[in-house]
Amino acid sequence: MSDQEKEARRWAVVVLAAGYGSRLHKDIIADDSGQFIHLLGQPKALLPVGGKPLLDHWIHRFKETDGLVDLSRVYIVTNALMYPKFVKWANGVDGFATENVINDETKTYEGRLGAVGDLKLVIEKKRKEIDGFDIIVVAGDTLFLSDFELTSFLERLPEKKCGCVYYKLSDPSEVSKRGIVEVEESSGLVIKLLEKPLHNQTTSRFACPAFYALRSRVVLKHIRSFGSQIGASSDYNGEEDDKEHKSKAPPGTNPHADSIGGMMGWLVKEKKIQLRGAPLIGRFDIADLAQWKETLTHFSMVLDEHLN
């Protein structure tokens, strides 16, 4: 790809890191060994993995794109409690501006904005900087296996199409805990994206992590105005979904309306976008202590000295 083409197709990034890590911190407290107690209060995106904070792995991938990702337009959105920790991290990353760490001002899990709310916050706060840029959205507690090449993924993504990745679940019981995609084999286009579906809603076993490549026109035309309409038009199964997922959402509304997967599912169903999927071998999703240990095992590393 020529320098001119790269200039025309530069990407900004929004890393979603405003979660409170409730499950992880409960596991740490319950762990009898006490060896992980120093991780209490640490954001998942800054947990040590392979000798460095998880987020550093993504920064490395962004730098490897040889200009496709504009490093001055990589944004981290987090909550008020974790904000100082990310600012401290940013101060230690060469070329990363602390003003690109965005505080969503929430202080409790109950008061959180949700992933969609946080994405919209970044888009509004950084509107001038990201105007005309395509945007990668990624969850801060996710890592992909080494088969994933970001540069290749972005270069192969057709013009005007958005992108995602997917992998095959080894355990079918995980279907109701993941975003699931149904993919047209010949074209790679996503036909349907279901956020934590019931087992009778799909036969697909392809899980789609929170990683999306969004075209700027989609951001401007649909995401900035995205709201409660998802409750009426997405794949929502009413009381059955409320019971299955123990939703705290108001009865009759979509329990996943504040999730990126829920939003993307709505955009696909309403034909607002064409979403192309690329296969992965797998990924790591650090939701709890067991998953973090699994991630550490994969990278064959011990705890580093990042936490102090």
Side-chain angles (χ1 to χ4, degrees):
M1 181 178 290
S2 69
D3 291 341
Q4 186 175 13
E5 287 175 316
K6 286 180 180 177
E7 180 69 19
R9 294 186 60 185
R10 287 185 303 168
W11 293 81
V13 178
V14 176
V15 179
L16 302 170
Y20 286 84
S22 302
R23 286 170 57 190
L24 174 65
H25 295 152
K26 285 180 181 178
D27 288 351
I28 291 171
I29 293 171
D31 182 70
D32 292 334
S33 73
Q35 63 179 310
F36 306 109
I37 199 68
H38 63 290
L39 297 175
L40 274 180
Q42 189 72 1
K44 291 188 288 184
L46 296 183
L47 289 175
V49 175
K52 57 187 177 182
L54 186 157
L55 194 49
D56 281 22
H57 291 271
W58 281 110
I59 297 298
H60 178 70
R61 286 189 185 274
F62 301 150
K63 289 181 177 179
E64 282 187 324
T65 63
D66 191 26
L68 277 175
V69 172
D70 187 329
L71 295 175
S72 70
R73 289 172 172 81
V74 175
Y75 306 101
I76 317 294
V77 58
T78 188
N79 59 60
L81 299 182
M82 303 299 181
Y83 176 73
K85 297 179 184 294
F86 281 100
V87 171
K88 180 181 178 181
W89 166 83
N91 279 323
V93 178
D94 185 37
F96 195 94
T98 55
E99 56 263 32
N100 283 10
V101 179
I102 298 169
N103 186 351
D104 74 2
E105 305 292 344
T106 68
K107 296 181 179 180
T108 65
Y109 175 83
E110 292 74 19
R112 69 195 185 282
L113 298 183
V116 174
D118 280 318
L119 174 59
K120 291 171 70 174
L121 176 68
V122 177
I123 291 170
E124 291 304 316
K125 278 185 172 289
K126 300 296 181 178
R127 178 167 40 187
K128 292 182 180 179
E129 290 93 329
I130 64 176
D131 183 39
F133 278 74
D134 297 330
I135 300 178
I136 297 168
V137 181
V138 59
D141 59 357
T142 293
L143 277 179
F144 297 158
L145 300 185
S146 58
D147 68 303
F148 177 71
E149 295 183 357
L150 180 58
T151 302
S152 177
F153 172 83
L154 294 176
E155 288 182 342
R156 293 179 180 180
L157 187 63
E159 291 285 349
K160 299 183 179 181
K161 287 183 173 60
C162 297
C164 69
V165 293
Y166 64 89
Y167 62 97
K168 189 170 184 179
L169 289 171
S170 57
D171 182 0
S173 69
E174 289 287 305
V175 167
S176 62
K177 302 175 184 178
R178 307 288 179 189
I180 301 296
V181 289
E182 297 178 6
V183 181
E184 185 177 73
E185 187 174 351
S186 60
S187 66
L189 288 177
V190 172
I191 303 168
K192 187 179 288 188
L193 194 165
L194 304 169
E195 182 69 2
K196 300 180 180 179
L198 302 179
H199 289 274
N200 62 2
Q201 287 182 283
T202 182
T203 58
S204 174
R205 296 298 179 262
F206 290 141
C208 178
F211 173 91
Y212 298 100
L214 306 175
R215 297 301 183 182
S216 59
R217 64 176 183 82
V218 174
V219 173
L220 291 174
K221 187 174 181 180
H222 300 301
I223 296 178
R224 285 175 63 184
S225 60
F226 179 81
S228 60
Q229 67 266 42
I230 189 174
S233 58
S234 64
D235 291 280
Y236 169 57
N237 228 9
E239 292 181 3
E240 189 175 2
D241 266 3
D242 289 338
K243 182 178 180 181
E244 174 75 10
H245 299 296
K246 298 180 175 61
S247 171
K248 294 183 179 180
T253 62
N254 192 307
H256 310 301
D258 68 345
S259 74
I260 295 298
M263 179 189 73
M264 294 301 296
W266 177 80
L267 290 171
V268 169
K269 182 175 181 180
E270 296 300 308
K271 303 187 185 306
K272 306 290 186 182
I273 63 171
Q274 284 189 306
L275 183 64
R276 187 185 185 193
L280 287 176
I281 293 177
R283 64 90 179 251
F284 293 103
D285 174 22
I286 304 177
D288 53 34
L289 187 58
Q291 290 176 348
W292 180 63
K293 289 179 180 179
E294 181 184 349
T295 306
L296 287 182
T297 300
H298 173 79
F299 283 89
S300 301
M301 299 292 286
V302 296
L303 289 170
D304 65 4
E305 297 178 356
H306 171 68
L307 305 177
N308 50 47

